[in-house]
Amino acid sequence: MNDTIELKTEERTPCEVWTRVMGYHRPVTAFNAGKQAEHAERCYFNEQPRGSLSRQEQRVAA
């Protein structure tokens, strides 16, 4: 039995990405070309939970 659902491109709902700029939220599609390129180059990170082992190891190494 195959329970996967496959949608055609025209059946998909577009996803609008919003981001915070200068203290308020705006859709990325409303940016000019330069700001859209800057948004595409952003680096994302995962913050370690406070008190995690890796954080403690960083303190010892410092």
Side-chain angles (χ1 to χ4, degrees), residues 24-52:
Y24 57 95
H25 292 85
R26 293 194 59 195
V28 174
T29 56
F31 291 171
N32 62 34
K35 189 59 81 175
Q36 285 184 6
E38 183 181 308
H39 181 266
E41 292 175 356
R42 287 185 185 173
C43 296
Y44 296 92
F45 67 94
N46 290 323
E47 187 175 357
Q48 293 293 322
R50 191 170 176 187
S52 68

